[in-house]
Amino acid sequence: MTVKVAVAGATGYAGGELLRLLLAHPGIEIGALTAASSAGTPLGQHQPHLAPLADRVVGETTAENLAGHDVVFLALPHGHSGEIAARLGEDTLVIDLGADHRLADAADWQRWYGSEHAGTWPYGLPELPGGRDRLRSARRIAVPGCFPTGGSLALAPALAAGLIRPDVAIVAVTGTSGAGRSLKPHLLGSEVMGSASAYGVGGAHRHTPEFAQNLGAVAGQPVTVSFTPVLAPMPRGILTTATAPLATDTDPDVARAVYDKAYAGEPFVHLLPEGSWPATAATVGSNNVLLQVTVDADARRLVVVAAIDNLTKGTAGGAVQSMNLALGLPETAGLPAAGVAP
Amino acid sequence: MTVKVAVAGATGYAGGELLRLLLAHPGIEIGALTAASSAGTPLGQHQPHLAPLADRVVGETTAENLAGHDVVFLALPHGHSGEIAARLGEDTLVIDLGADHRLADAADWQRWYGSEHAGTWPYGLPELPGGRDRLRSARRIAVPGCFPTGGSLALAPALAAGLIRPDVAIVAVTGTSGAGRSLKPHLLGSEVMGSASAYGVGGAHRHTPEFAQNLGAVAGQPVTVSFTPVLAPMPRGILTTATAPLATDTDPDVARAVYDKAYAGEPFVHLLPEGSWPATAATVGSNNVLLQVTVDADARRLVVVAAIDNLTKGTAGGAVQSMNLALGLPETAGLPAAGVAP
Amino acid sequence: MTVKVAVAGATGYAGGELLRLLLAHPGIEIGALTAASSAGTPLGQHQPHLAPLADRVVGETTAENLAGHDVVFLALPHGHSGEIAARLGEDTLVIDLGADHRLADAADWQRWYGSEHAGTWPYGLPELPGGRDRLRSARRIAVPGCFPTGGSLALAPALAAGLIRPDVAIVAVTGTSGAGRSLKPHLLGSEVMGSASAYGVGGAHRHTPEFAQNLGAVAGQPVTVSFTPVLAPMPRGILTTATAPLATDTDPDVARAVYDKAYAGEPFVHLLPEGSWPATAATVGSNNVLLQVTVDADARRLVVVAAIDNLTKGTAGGAVQSMNLALGLPETAGLPAAGVAP
Amino acid sequence: MTVKVAVAGATGYAGGELLRLLLAHPGIEIGALTAASSAGTPLGQHQPHLAPLADRVVGETTAENLAGHDVVFLALPHGHSGEIAARLGEDTLVIDLGADHRLADAADWQRWYGSEHAGTWPYGLPELPGGRDRLRSARRIAVPGCFPTGGSLALAPALAAGLIRPDVAIVAVTGTSGAGRSLKPHLLGSEVMGSASAYGVGGAHRHTPEFAQNLGAVAGQPVTVSFTPVLAPMPRGILTTATAPLATDTDPDVARAVYDKAYAGEPFVHLLPEGSWPATAATVGSNNVLLQVTVDADARRLVVVAAIDNLTKGTAGGAVQSMNLALGLPETAGLPAAGVAP
């Protein structure tokens, strides 16, 4: 059986990563590729790394062009996917890489995005408690934000086990591709190289409510989240540093055992050997999450560090993993188990 | 009057930055340049950017070679400066860029460095309360660590004003030059580029007690410090993100006013306009500290971000600033007021 | 049928890239992994990106440990592969990623490497004229150097067609991984980032005779080669700029037609659409060669630019491609047809 | 005496670098700062590294705003400076950092820029033969292009001494700031990092006729120039590799002696010790040119490598050096003699 797939937003970074993965996915046929302003141009002009698709001409993102596929990936700016999805058949698996359908609470959406909520879809993070069940046979899937992917997996075991108090501080260092191909001065190479800078500080980043939603569900109580993203001079990768006050004195070995157990059997989440700390470079192009946890006895805090590739596990890889689960394919199909390093 | 200056450790990164600043400092005569294994070679072989000194031959780091100067800068691995300083006259201004004389508590030193404490010298961070008084006419100065420079200035006003509880979480993203010219695999360009990685996690970094010392002095009570350094792919710069629970509900404007007042008149500490957040690139090669502060109302935390150049304000610039104060020179002499960007 | 493969030099950059490719190659079983000083340690300590092999313990590089495999890859410093290969059976396919067996002329070897020549093996660049024939059923294969891979493919069509005079100037900008994991000061991240530097200038680089050998064979006459490598701040990639005097006035379209014809049907060599010029980023992690050619009418020179990933097509990918041909597997098996970008 | 200076184009990269240098120049008063679309905003919004000027409001670029200064620097897109200069007094020193007045030949201008030629001004490269004489007391100065600065100094001595034939091949690796703050997709950090790419290939770059003009003047005969610029992932720096056929067999020592003599006494041009090759990092923020030359005996070519900072010596530093000469100030005033490294 061949699964026929369409990608809307094929000329962006998320769309490009998705196509890279789909090209190596056995049993996938790549159908319509669509975009907005670049419709009518060959894909090679925008994604020169996708050599096998270089001559494919990009169509316009319309429900008509996306119809007739088994799976439709929407890698669009937020606010656009609801309407298109409504015009695709209910049997079509629609996977939204944007933000529209991640939040369960319409008021949250309204507060952070200022527009009408398009509804909530099953959340595509299989490694969260109950995550896989939500995805099996789903026909609508909301792919998590890149920051909540790393941060939720970093903190979920500790919250579920009651190791920490529900008051977490997260600083996540991200590569520039997370901002997409936006023509903004601060994203120019000349500005980015050699520079680290914080943005969306003080709880202003739109991924904040998604953190709270995920962590609160795991903890069974509201979780206070202080989140600061930092832009670093690298194209890909998110290094999440998450700390929280210990609920009670805890030995580092106990903390490690909690994480070891939580992620035993997970194909993509790897707790590193004791004493090793993750680097984002080791995850580039892979669907892996590399994790380490310890206890700061003086500060009485748990410290967890997680590395992912924001475009792979944080976006397109997570999307493919969810697709695999929804379609009953092997969960790891088409997903690189090793990173590209150095 | 010309001040005659010697630099021990002239072939390292800190020594090189010091010489760059001293070359542009009016009224300085650069005397002996010494090193360990590279003694006998021309400086240009190690510091090709210091064109005016390229032909100077590096001597061995001995008290004899360093004698006869008004000022001796020691940019040495820790453990080496105490003995040399003891053999230099009491009238000589000795400025230690290493860690040996920063900590006031011998037990702290013993715990973190495992060797005998060499004694405490006046601490070279003029912008801390009482900082300038400690340095006037000093003849021994301990230059702060690069992380505590940024982090202490980020948090001191809030602690002094009682805005926050004495329980701070600091994540500091640093360039690679902070590790010096050490031949370690994880510092190779191939490993560093495209990668962010945490190290010294869980309170294991040796700058942790220096944070606690500085912040505790300002707060007038012990301060709990969770500190995580993150290595980022840039040669220079430290971006410090510091958060702490608010002592009481505080308006962002009030927080800004506290910082504005604390650093009014400081030549090198700049609170950015509201809404602007600092980037390390803007500080490269300068002695500036760029700061911003806000309140995360949901998380009930104060968030401060500070950018410095780890080699300039964080090491060699801080050293020159302290020298200026100790010798009664203009505090800003020889210190770039503008960064090199992009 | 499963092909059992051993990798000597598994902890280096070339070995790591090889393992990344082999992990995704259908029908390969990864057997012995060996190294020199790091024997006895888990692979994950050196190659944290190869998650599926993290717990594999590295053995010592000996003929005994490498025996009993269908294919043995040798990713060793030059001078070591001849002796080991001699002790492996003649039926074993031995693929040398080092320099030992690339040069046909023993005097050339002696001049450039100063040691005794270990003999010449079939040369693993299938896209050169006659390249595939040399590799079918081969049991010893010399993988080309990374620079000659890009430069030979850039110039071969023009020389074969007589477009240019046999006097070429090549400047190749390379990422740092080409130098391996060597602990040399100029390869430190602090030195590399933000810097471009030439090395091996004036014909001093050891790949020079390999260029001359390849290009001379294609041209049917000696070719004079001026080759300058430039180190750039990126982990991977080689951008080769090759120019040569036109043999006679030539229209750019004619030049393009020559290249188009030369590489028609090649699975990995892609002549870009007119007006597009290759960037190394588009080749990262793939086995592709991206090419463009034009004529500088004023300077009366042909100009060709080629981009490859030095570790993939330039080393490990070329090795796997040659293995596929020697074993009668599909030539493209296990070789990414798309790069990892951005 | 204080020299009052205005800068048009103050919010761009060239303008920013100029202001950085002028801030440290003794005896300069910084007057009007003007721009186009960003007029009316504070400079700190665009140039956060220029802390002392952060609150200065940018005016509009008009002759009125620029009048009343001793020196007016024009850092504008080409095509704009002629008209403004015509409206400034003849006693005003007008220094154009753009391309408008560099070319001596109106037909050349017309061919490469497609508009009417605005006239030729004295050329601001003092190190060329006769260069200083052209600048003394000049009241109009054309600052060279960044590529011709490095490339002309790399080749002038060899051409003047007749070491090489007038047929040169230049490949220049440049940082991204040379393209200015243009919002183009290929200049985004995500695209630039990890990538090398050629552009303006085949003689298409507009600096080509400027090379030919400079080199032809030195050689006393037409010089054929093949020029290829390569974009590399670094904010600043140009590494020029220039090769040309030897006129006759030449010993490397003889070539070095020619360069040594040509640049003896030059404050900013440094021939490195034999065996050392320049890296751009060593020039960052300085006005230096680091040079090395050798002979490739096999290829019978001279090879010269030169490193500069494109924004300093290649643009703003060259402009200040020319200003100093025109005003009779010390030539090196305000120009860093040491780079910022690592």
PDB file of all heavy atoms in Angstrom, chain A residues 13 176-177 181-182 185 187-191 193 233-234, chain D residues 13 176-177 181-183 185 187-191 193 233-234:
ATOM      1  N   TYR A  13      10.637  26.143   5.833  1.00  0.00           N
ATOM      2  CA  TYR A  13      11.596  25.237   6.484  1.00  0.00           C
ATOM      3  C   TYR A  13      10.922  23.969   6.997  1.00  0.00           C
ATOM      4  O   TYR A  13      11.454  22.871   6.877  1.00  0.00           O
ATOM      5  CB  TYR A  13      12.298  25.947   7.640  1.00  0.00           C
ATOM      6  CG  TYR A  13      13.252  27.028   7.192  1.00  0.00           C
ATOM      7  CD1 TYR A  13      13.595  28.082   8.035  1.00  0.00           C
ATOM      8  CD2 TYR A  13      13.842  27.005   5.926  1.00  0.00           C
ATOM      9  CE1 TYR A  13      14.480  29.076   7.632  1.00  0.00           C
ATOM     10  CE2 TYR A  13      14.723  28.000   5.513  1.00  0.00           C
ATOM     11  CZ  TYR A  13      15.036  29.028   6.370  1.00  0.00           C
ATOM     12  OH  TYR A  13      15.901  30.007   5.974  1.00  0.00           O
ATOM     13  N   THR A 176      18.043  29.155  14.567  1.00  0.00           N
ATOM     14  CA  THR A 176      17.276  30.194  13.896  1.00  0.00           C
ATOM     15  C   THR A 176      16.157  29.673  13.011  1.00  0.00           C
ATOM     16  O   THR A 176      15.228  30.413  12.696  1.00  0.00           O
ATOM     17  CB  THR A 176      18.203  31.035  13.018  1.00  0.00           C
ATOM     18  OG1 THR A 176      18.922  30.156  12.150  1.00  0.00           O
ATOM     19  CG2 THR A 176      19.188  31.807  13.867  1.00  0.00           C
ATOM     20  N   SER A 177      16.214  28.406  12.615  1.00  0.00           N
ATOM     21  CA  SER A 177      15.192  27.926  11.684  1.00  0.00           C
ATOM     22  C   SER A 177      13.818  27.891  12.330  1.00  0.00           C
ATOM     23  O   SER A 177      12.801  27.863  11.623  1.00  0.00           O
ATOM     24  CB  SER A 177      15.556  26.545  11.141  1.00  0.00           C
ATOM     25  OG  SER A 177      15.656  25.601  12.177  1.00  0.00           O
ATOM     26  N   ARG A 181      11.420  31.149   7.486  1.00  0.00           N
ATOM     27  CA  ARG A 181      12.165  31.908   6.477  1.00  0.00           C
ATOM     28  C   ARG A 181      11.673  33.359   6.443  1.00  0.00           C
ATOM     29  O   ARG A 181      11.433  33.927   5.375  1.00  0.00           O
ATOM     30  CB  ARG A 181      11.948  31.220   5.131  1.00  0.00           C
ATOM     31  CG  ARG A 181      13.006  31.494   4.112  1.00  0.00           C
ATOM     32  CD  ARG A 181      12.816  30.626   2.898  1.00  0.00           C
ATOM     33  NE  ARG A 181      13.778  29.538   2.832  1.00  0.00           N
ATOM     34  CZ  ARG A 181      13.668  28.493   2.041  1.00  0.00           C
ATOM     35  NH1 ARG A 181      12.636  28.370   1.259  1.00  0.00           N
ATOM     36  NH2 ARG A 181      14.588  27.555   2.028  1.00  0.00           N
ATOM     37  N   SER A 182      11.503  33.947   7.603  1.00  0.00           N
ATOM     38  CA  SER A 182      10.976  35.316   7.661  1.00  0.00           C
ATOM     39  C   SER A 182      12.081  36.318   7.383  1.00  0.00           C
ATOM     40  O   SER A 182      13.169  36.219   7.946  1.00  0.00           O
ATOM     41  CB  SER A 182      10.406  35.611   9.050  1.00  0.00           C
ATOM     42  OG  SER A 182       9.991  34.457   9.715  1.00  0.00           O
ATOM     43  N   PRO A 185      15.142  41.717  10.020  1.00  0.00           N
ATOM     44  CA  PRO A 185      16.552  42.104  10.193  1.00  0.00           C
ATOM     45  C   PRO A 185      17.295  41.271  11.240  1.00  0.00           C
ATOM     46  O   PRO A 185      18.434  40.897  11.021  1.00  0.00           O
ATOM     47  CB  PRO A 185      16.458  43.576  10.625  1.00  0.00           C
ATOM     48  CG  PRO A 185      15.158  44.065  10.096  1.00  0.00           C
ATOM     49  CD  PRO A 185      14.234  42.877  10.091  1.00  0.00           C
ATOM     50  N   LEU A 187      17.100  38.337  11.952  1.00  0.00           N
ATOM     51  CA  LEU A 187      17.366  36.965  11.519  1.00  0.00           C
ATOM     52  C   LEU A 187      18.430  36.894  10.417  1.00  0.00           C
ATOM     53  O   LEU A 187      18.775  35.802   9.963  1.00  0.00           O
ATOM     54  CB  LEU A 187      16.074  36.307  11.040  1.00  0.00           C
ATOM     55  CG  LEU A 187      15.002  36.114  12.121  1.00  0.00           C
ATOM     56  CD1 LEU A 187      13.736  35.536  11.500  1.00  0.00           C
ATOM     57  CD2 LEU A 187      15.503  35.198  13.242  1.00  0.00           C
ATOM     58  N   LEU A 188      18.932  38.041   9.995  1.00  0.00           N
ATOM     59  CA  LEU A 188      20.001  38.027   8.994  1.00  0.00           C
ATOM     60  C   LEU A 188      21.245  37.333   9.552  1.00  0.00           C
ATOM     61  O   LEU A 188      21.549  37.440  10.741  1.00  0.00           O
ATOM     62  CB  LEU A 188      20.367  39.465   8.600  1.00  0.00           C
ATOM     63  CG  LEU A 188      19.366  40.185   7.698  1.00  0.00           C
ATOM     64  CD1 LEU A 188      19.791  41.634   7.518  1.00  0.00           C
ATOM     65  CD2 LEU A 188      19.284  39.481   6.334  1.00  0.00           C
ATOM     66  N   GLY A 189      21.957  36.664   8.684  1.00  0.00           N
ATOM     67  CA  GLY A 189      23.185  35.997   9.109  1.00  0.00           C
ATOM     68  C   GLY A 189      24.140  36.933   9.811  1.00  0.00           C
ATOM     69  O   GLY A 189      24.738  36.575  10.836  1.00  0.00           O
ATOM     70  N   SER A 190      24.290  38.130   9.299  1.00  0.00           N
ATOM     71  CA  SER A 190      25.222  39.079   9.912  1.00  0.00           C
ATOM     72  C   SER A 190      24.843  39.396  11.352  1.00  0.00           C
ATOM     73  O   SER A 190      25.710  39.674  12.178  1.00  0.00           O
ATOM     74  CB  SER A 190      25.253  40.385   9.104  1.00  0.00           C
ATOM     75  OG  SER A 190      25.723  40.149   7.797  1.00  0.00           O
ATOM     76  N   GLU A 191      23.572  39.368  11.658  1.00  0.00           N
ATOM     77  CA  GLU A 191      23.111  39.677  13.011  1.00  0.00           C
ATOM     78  C   GLU A 191      23.187  38.460  13.922  1.00  0.00           C
ATOM     79  O   GLU A 191      23.452  38.569  15.113  1.00  0.00           O
ATOM     80  CB  GLU A 191      21.653  40.157  12.986  1.00  0.00           C
ATOM     81  CG  GLU A 191      21.338  41.263  12.010  1.00  0.00           C
ATOM     82  CD  GLU A 191      21.806  42.619  12.487  1.00  0.00           C
ATOM     83  OE1 GLU A 191      21.743  42.875  13.689  1.00  0.00           O
ATOM     84  OE2 GLU A 191      22.244  43.430  11.635  1.00  0.00           O
ATOM     85  N   MET A 193      24.994  35.475  13.567  1.00  0.00           N
ATOM     86  CA  MET A 193      26.271  34.813  13.853  1.00  0.00           C
ATOM     87  C   MET A 193      27.016  35.564  14.956  1.00  0.00           C
ATOM     88  O   MET A 193      27.078  36.784  14.963  1.00  0.00           O
ATOM     89  CB  MET A 193      27.117  34.742  12.585  1.00  0.00           C
ATOM     90  CG  MET A 193      26.545  33.762  11.575  1.00  0.00           C
ATOM     91  SD  MET A 193      27.591  33.552  10.108  1.00  0.00           S
ATOM     92  CE  MET A 193      27.286  35.086   9.231  1.00  0.00           C
ATOM     93  N   PRO A 233      23.405  31.183  17.538  1.00  0.00           N
ATOM     94  CA  PRO A 233      23.864  31.138  16.143  1.00  0.00           C
ATOM     95  C   PRO A 233      24.048  29.727  15.614  1.00  0.00           C
ATOM     96  O   PRO A 233      25.157  29.252  15.426  1.00  0.00           O
ATOM     97  CB  PRO A 233      25.195  31.901  16.195  1.00  0.00           C
ATOM     98  CG  PRO A 233      25.631  31.892  17.606  1.00  0.00           C
ATOM     99  CD  PRO A 233      24.444  31.620  18.464  1.00  0.00           C
ATOM    100  N   MET A 234      22.955  29.075  15.370  1.00  0.00           N
ATOM    101  CA  MET A 234      22.975  27.741  14.758  1.00  0.00           C
ATOM    102  C   MET A 234      21.676  27.600  13.996  1.00  0.00           C
ATOM    103  O   MET A 234      20.660  28.160  14.387  1.00  0.00           O
ATOM    104  CB  MET A 234      23.137  26.663  15.837  1.00  0.00           C
ATOM    105  CG  MET A 234      22.147  26.744  16.976  1.00  0.00           C
ATOM    106  SD  MET A 234      22.660  25.705  18.384  1.00  0.00           S
ATOM    107  CE  MET A 234      21.079  25.592  19.265  1.00  0.00           C
TER     108      MET A 234
ATOM    109  N   TYR D  13      25.364  48.900   7.845  1.00  0.00           N
ATOM    110  CA  TYR D  13      26.570  48.295   8.418  1.00  0.00           C
ATOM    111  C   TYR D  13      27.796  49.181   8.208  1.00  0.00           C
ATOM    112  O   TYR D  13      28.630  49.325   9.098  1.00  0.00           O
ATOM    113  CB  TYR D  13      26.814  46.918   7.805  1.00  0.00           C
ATOM    114  CG  TYR D  13      25.791  45.876   8.215  1.00  0.00           C
ATOM    115  CD1 TYR D  13      25.546  44.755   7.419  1.00  0.00           C
ATOM    116  CD2 TYR D  13      25.092  45.988   9.415  1.00  0.00           C
ATOM    117  CE1 TYR D  13      24.626  43.791   7.796  1.00  0.00           C
ATOM    118  CE2 TYR D  13      24.162  45.030   9.791  1.00  0.00           C
ATOM    119  CZ  TYR D  13      23.932  43.929   8.977  1.00  0.00           C
ATOM    120  OH  TYR D  13      23.024  42.971   9.355  1.00  0.00           O
ATOM    121  N   THR D 176      29.294  37.985   5.498  1.00  0.00           N
ATOM    122  CA  THR D 176      27.976  38.394   5.007  1.00  0.00           C
ATOM    123  C   THR D 176      27.707  39.885   5.111  1.00  0.00           C
ATOM    124  O   THR D 176      26.825  40.394   4.410  1.00  0.00           O
ATOM    125  CB  THR D 176      26.874  37.664   5.787  1.00  0.00           C
ATOM    126  OG1 THR D 176      27.096  37.894   7.186  1.00  0.00           O
ATOM    127  CG2 THR D 176      26.915  36.179   5.523  1.00  0.00           C
ATOM    128  N   SER D 177      28.443  40.592   5.950  1.00  0.00           N
ATOM    129  CA  SER D 177      28.129  42.008   6.121  1.00  0.00           C
ATOM    130  C   SER D 177      28.414  42.807   4.858  1.00  0.00           C
ATOM    131  O   SER D 177      27.895  43.916   4.700  1.00  0.00           O
ATOM    132  CB  SER D 177      28.887  42.603   7.310  1.00  0.00           C
ATOM    133  OG  SER D 177      30.277  42.499   7.112  1.00  0.00           O
ATOM    134  N   ARG D 181      22.622  45.276   5.087  1.00  0.00           N
ATOM    135  CA  ARG D 181      21.475  44.789   5.872  1.00  0.00           C
ATOM    136  C   ARG D 181      20.282  44.521   4.964  1.00  0.00           C
ATOM    137  O   ARG D 181      19.146  44.905   5.262  1.00  0.00           O
ATOM    138  CB  ARG D 181      21.147  45.863   6.913  1.00  0.00           C
ATOM    139  CG  ARG D 181      20.389  45.368   8.100  1.00  0.00           C
ATOM    140  CD  ARG D 181      20.289  46.444   9.157  1.00  0.00           C
ATOM    141  NE  ARG D 181      21.194  46.206  10.270  1.00  0.00           N
ATOM    142  CZ  ARG D 181      21.507  47.102  11.198  1.00  0.00           C
ATOM    143  NH1 ARG D 181      21.015  48.307  11.127  1.00  0.00           N
ATOM    144  NH2 ARG D 181      22.322  46.794  12.177  1.00  0.00           N
ATOM    145  N   SER D 182      20.523  43.862   3.836  1.00  0.00           N
ATOM    146  CA  SER D 182      19.442  43.613   2.871  1.00  0.00           C
ATOM    147  C   SER D 182      18.622  42.417   3.312  1.00  0.00           C
ATOM    148  O   SER D 182      19.169  41.376   3.668  1.00  0.00           O
ATOM    149  CB  SER D 182      20.022  43.306   1.493  1.00  0.00           C
ATOM    150  OG  SER D 182      21.280  43.881   1.309  1.00  0.00           O
ATOM    151  N   LEU D 183      17.319  42.556   3.216  1.00  0.00           N
ATOM    152  CA  LEU D 183      16.429  41.468   3.609  1.00  0.00           C
ATOM    153  C   LEU D 183      16.221  40.533   2.425  1.00  0.00           C
ATOM    154  O   LEU D 183      15.196  40.569   1.737  1.00  0.00           O
ATOM    155  CB  LEU D 183      15.100  42.042   4.102  1.00  0.00           C
ATOM    156  CG  LEU D 183      15.205  42.803   5.426  1.00  0.00           C
ATOM    157  CD1 LEU D 183      13.864  43.366   5.838  1.00  0.00           C
ATOM    158  CD2 LEU D 183      15.754  41.895   6.524  1.00  0.00           C
ATOM    159  N   PRO D 185      16.432  36.397   1.161  1.00  0.00           N
ATOM    160  CA  PRO D 185      16.386  35.056   1.760  1.00  0.00           C
ATOM    161  C   PRO D 185      17.766  34.408   1.915  1.00  0.00           C
ATOM    162  O   PRO D 185      18.044  33.785   2.928  1.00  0.00           O
ATOM    163  CB  PRO D 185      15.520  34.267   0.769  1.00  0.00           C
ATOM    164  CG  PRO D 185      14.666  35.282   0.095  1.00  0.00           C
ATOM    165  CD  PRO D 185      15.476  36.549   0.044  1.00  0.00           C
ATOM    166  N   LEU D 187      20.467  35.609   2.607  1.00  0.00           N
ATOM    167  CA  LEU D 187      21.280  36.219   3.657  1.00  0.00           C
ATOM    168  C   LEU D 187      20.768  35.912   5.062  1.00  0.00           C
ATOM    169  O   LEU D 187      21.366  36.330   6.051  1.00  0.00           O
ATOM    170  CB  LEU D 187      21.352  37.735   3.450  1.00  0.00           C
ATOM    171  CG  LEU D 187      22.049  38.189   2.168  1.00  0.00           C
ATOM    172  CD1 LEU D 187      21.977  39.704   2.030  1.00  0.00           C
ATOM    173  CD2 LEU D 187      23.517  37.731   2.148  1.00  0.00           C
ATOM    174  N   LEU D 188      19.664  35.174   5.161  1.00  0.00           N
ATOM    175  CA  LEU D 188      19.159  34.779   6.478  1.00  0.00           C
ATOM    176  C   LEU D 188      20.184  33.905   7.192  1.00  0.00           C
ATOM    177  O   LEU D 188      20.880  33.101   6.572  1.00  0.00           O
ATOM    178  CB  LEU D 188      17.845  34.013   6.333  1.00  0.00           C
ATOM    179  CG  LEU D 188      16.620  34.852   5.982  1.00  0.00           C
ATOM    180  CD1 LEU D 188      15.426  33.936   5.735  1.00  0.00           C
ATOM    181  CD2 LEU D 188      16.296  35.836   7.113  1.00  0.00           C
ATOM    182  N   GLY D 189      20.235  34.046   8.493  1.00  0.00           N
ATOM    183  CA  GLY D 189      21.153  33.227   9.269  1.00  0.00           C
ATOM    184  C   GLY D 189      20.980  31.740   9.006  1.00  0.00           C
ATOM    185  O   GLY D 189      21.950  30.996   8.873  1.00  0.00           O
ATOM    186  N   SER D 190      19.741  31.305   8.908  1.00  0.00           N
ATOM    187  CA  SER D 190      19.492  29.877   8.684  1.00  0.00           C
ATOM    188  C   SER D 190      20.110  29.394   7.375  1.00  0.00           C
ATOM    189  O   SER D 190      20.509  28.234   7.267  1.00  0.00           O
ATOM    190  CB  SER D 190      17.984  29.595   8.660  1.00  0.00           C
ATOM    191  OG  SER D 190      17.406  29.910   9.906  1.00  0.00           O
ATOM    192  N   GLU D 191      20.182  30.270   6.392  1.00  0.00           N
ATOM    193  CA  GLU D 191      20.740  29.886   5.090  1.00  0.00           C
ATOM    194  C   GLU D 191      22.259  29.990   5.093  1.00  0.00           C
ATOM    195  O   GLU D 191      22.950  29.219   4.436  1.00  0.00           O
ATOM    196  CB  GLU D 191      20.194  30.811   3.992  1.00  0.00           C
ATOM    197  CG  GLU D 191      18.689  30.951   3.950  1.00  0.00           C
ATOM    198  CD  GLU D 191      18.011  29.749   3.331  1.00  0.00           C
ATOM    199  OE1 GLU D 191      18.561  29.145   2.415  1.00  0.00           O
ATOM    200  OE2 GLU D 191      16.902  29.405   3.800  1.00  0.00           O
ATOM    201  N   MET D 193      24.544  30.118   7.746  1.00  0.00           N
ATOM    202  CA  MET D 193      25.369  29.308   8.644  1.00  0.00           C
ATOM    203  C   MET D 193      25.560  27.915   8.066  1.00  0.00           C
ATOM    204  O   MET D 193      24.634  27.309   7.561  1.00  0.00           O
ATOM    205  CB  MET D 193      24.726  29.241  10.026  1.00  0.00           C
ATOM    206  CG  MET D 193      24.784  30.578  10.759  1.00  0.00           C
ATOM    207  SD  MET D 193      24.152  30.499  12.455  1.00  0.00           S
ATOM    208  CE  MET D 193      22.381  30.430  12.161  1.00  0.00           C
ATOM    209  N   PRO D 233      30.157  31.616   6.047  1.00  0.00           N
ATOM    210  CA  PRO D 233      29.370  31.878   7.257  1.00  0.00           C
ATOM    211  C   PRO D 233      30.157  32.627   8.325  1.00  0.00           C
ATOM    212  O   PRO D 233      30.520  32.071   9.361  1.00  0.00           O
ATOM    213  CB  PRO D 233      28.969  30.481   7.726  1.00  0.00           C
ATOM    214  CG  PRO D 233      29.903  29.535   7.074  1.00  0.00           C
ATOM    215  CD  PRO D 233      30.498  30.201   5.884  1.00  0.00           C
ATOM    216  N   MET D 234      30.398  33.883   8.081  1.00  0.00           N
ATOM    217  CA  MET D 234      31.038  34.745   9.075  1.00  0.00           C
ATOM    218  C   MET D 234      30.541  36.156   8.816  1.00  0.00           C
ATOM    219  O   MET D 234      30.236  36.502   7.682  1.00  0.00           O
ATOM    220  CB  MET D 234      32.558  34.643   8.955  1.00  0.00           C
ATOM    221  CG  MET D 234      33.102  34.865   7.558  1.00  0.00           C
ATOM    222  SD  MET D 234      34.850  34.364   7.437  1.00  0.00           S
ATOM    223  CE  MET D 234      35.310  35.258   5.933  1.00  0.00           C
TER     224      MET D 234
END
